[in-house]
Amino acid sequence: MARAVRARTCALGLLGERRRRDARARDLLRGSEALAGLPERDRALAFRLVMGCVAATGELDRVVDARLARTAHLEPRVRDALCLAAFELLYLSTPDEVCVSQGVELVRGVAPRAAGLANAVLRRIAEKDAPALAAARGRVEAGTFAAADLARVGALPEWLCERALASLGPRAAAAWASAALEPSAATVAANRALVSTDEAERLLADAGCGPVAGPLPGSFSLGAPAQLAGSGLVERGLVLPCDLSAQQVALAAAPAPGSRVLEVGQGRGTKTVLLEGAACATGVPCEVVAVEADARKSERAARRMKDAGVADHVRCVAADARALDASLGSFDLVFVDAPCTGTGTLARHPEIAWSLEAAAVHELAGLQLQILSAVASRVDEGGALVYATCSILAEEDERVAEEFLASDAGCGFELVSQERTSWPGSDVHFHAHLRRRL
């Protein structure tokens, strides 16, 4: 009798723990001793299985339920095991027989009497659902697809794929859906407020991370990203784990040396350091007021600014951006990193797709417009207003910029440029650059 391998039993245990604790997959994976104790190859498989099963949860439930008898009721541990095996069968390149055999053993390990049911369900998925997925992939590759095909290929809700098609057009929507289950590229940015790009590359190389210079100033992809955790480079603020798209958005804002910058939506402060680093790279830091609505996040960001060596030039403020204190004054650059659906970051945040409700898109678009309108008065004449999201949806992106420009708050501004990022293996971000007329 075959036995389930350690990578799969570890992944199954983590999926059960996530379900019981309602934890985020990445947080759970980051702190898992069981995962850390696996050999590197097994660790990579377990990581991929957990992230994939969470990202595809709605589609996996649909597939499994469709192959059950109507009266069958699955206990949660059996469903976890079936979904894990179904994910590997449908979305990874593991041979069908291995997926079925390993899935049966996973189920046997938690509910021995359900092994026969697992064998029947997984074989039906291999016979029915795998060919259907292959056909959908063929239509996507040929450019003759519908939203339902994107939903199957990316294991995404169909309503979200309909919105993606309307926002991005067929080619970009197909690329977005096809990448939804792929691992994110391992990229970092040098903290150019502390080190030069050359120094960062040497430090990463000495730590065994295998850095390769990226397309943006101070950016690197890592050939051995697992080495970064024990290097101390992140804790010392010398490099920042950061997606290329996020780096592009911050660099495109390009604060002038010595300028006054208002950042709205500071979060953990990664873009704050990137903004400051971009100014420092030209010889003179900028002066940043960074606003975050969550007081605890703002406190953590303030501590991070110290570690990153930019605390003397960054003031962290916990406040609602729609009601800022007048004493903060006006700014050369206002950078709005708006709260959004995060639909451009599905590979990095697997919980988003199936927890997002369609109504939330409209609600967030309203909030985004309120924030943009409120902070517009803080832009000096001739100054810049940058609006950014990590959403792919036009309702949160171009439509918000258009509504702002058509409003009383936006009538004194002009649109300079707007675009979505498109780096292979990276998130998709949107950024619009507006300028206040003199």
Side-chain angles (χ1 to χ4, degrees), residues 3-363:
R3 297 180 60 183
V5 302
R6 289 178 64 193
R8 295 184 179 89
T9 57
C10 177
L12 181 60
L14 287 166
L15 287 171
E17 187 177 351
R18 176 187 172 274
R19 173 173 43 73
R20 292 189 297 274
R21 292 172 49 191
D22 194 24
R24 292 193 176 193
R26 274 195 177 275
D27 294 340
L28 202 57
L29 289 163
R30 194 177 292 123
S32 171
E33 293 183 3
L35 183 70
L38 292 177
E40 186 170 349
R41 185 174 177 180
D42 287 351
R43 189 164 62 242
L45 175 58
F47 188 95
R48 186 82 193 277
L49 288 170
V50 171
M51 291 290 282
C53 287
V54 174
T57 182
E59 176 65 4
L60 296 175
D61 280 340
R62 183 193 69 76
V63 166
V64 168
D65 288 343
R67 302 307 164 198
L68 287 170
R70 288 188 178 181
T71 55
H73 173 72
L74 295 179
E75 73 161 283
R77 293 181 304 167
V78 173
R79 179 175 288 278
D80 288 343
L82 286 175
C83 286
L84 187 156
F87 174 77
E88 190 169 6
L89 200 159
L90 293 171
Y91 295 103
L92 301 186
S93 57
T94 311
D96 290 2
E97 286 303 318
V98 174
C99 295
V100 173
S101 172
Q102 288 287 292
V104 169
E105 295 311 311
L106 287 174
V107 170
R108 195 193 307 277
V110 297
R113 291 184 178 180
L117 177 144
N119 184 60
V121 168
L122 292 173
R123 290 198 180 281
R124 289 186 199 124
I125 291 173
E127 292 167 4
K128 302 292 185 182
D129 296 284
L133 175 58
R137 284 179 174 142
R139 288 190 290 274
V140 170
E141 289 172 5
T144 57
F145 60 89
D149 294 317
L150 292 186
R152 194 180 282 269
V153 167
L156 296 163
E158 190 168 332
W159 73 264
L160 185 55
C161 293
E162 291 170 349
R163 298 281 188 96
L165 270 171
S167 297
L168 303 175
R171 178 175 295 184
W176 166 78
S178 297
L181 297 176
E182 296 298 317
S184 300
T187 53
V188 298
N191 175 7
R192 294 188 294 165
L194 287 181
V195 293
S196 68
T197 298
D198 289 344
E199 288 173 318
E201 184 170 16
R202 180 182 57 77
L203 290 168
L204 288 165
D206 289 347
C209 297
V212 176
L216 300 172
S219 69
F220 298 94
S221 61
L222 302 183
Q227 301 303 312
L228 184 63
S231 70
L233 297 177
V234 176
E235 291 76 9
R236 291 156 58 197
L238 299 170
V239 300
L240 311 165
C242 188
D243 186 83
L244 269 181
S245 292
Q247 294 183 51
Q248 179 182 335
V249 169
L251 290 172
S259 61
R260 274 178 50 79
V261 178
L262 173 64
E263 180 192 17
V264 174
Q266 183 185 27
R268 298 180 64 250
T270 298
K271 290 195 181 77
T272 316
V273 178
L274 292 172
L275 289 168
E276 194 62 75
C280 287
T282 66
V284 180
C286 55
E287 303 300 320
V288 181
V289 175
V291 174
E292 169 54 49
D294 186 317
R296 286 185 295 182
K297 281 187 180 178
S298 181
E299 290 175 6
R300 288 197 292 269
R303 290 194 292 272
R304 195 178 183 202
M305 296 306 104
K306 292 181 181 177
D307 295 338
V310 299
D312 290 345
H313 301 284
V314 177
R315 176 186 173 190
C316 297
V317 176
D320 186 332
R322 295 169 295 180
L324 293 179
D325 194 288
S327 64
L328 293 178
S330 61
F331 299 85
D332 303 295
L333 166 66
V334 174
F335 177 78
V336 178
D337 199 5
C340 68
T341 57
T343 46
T345 66
L346 298 184
R348 205 173 297 278
H349 301 291
E351 288 85 0
I352 287 177
W354 290 98
S355 63
L356 183 64
E357 296 182 1
V361 179
H362 180 70
E363 293 171 6

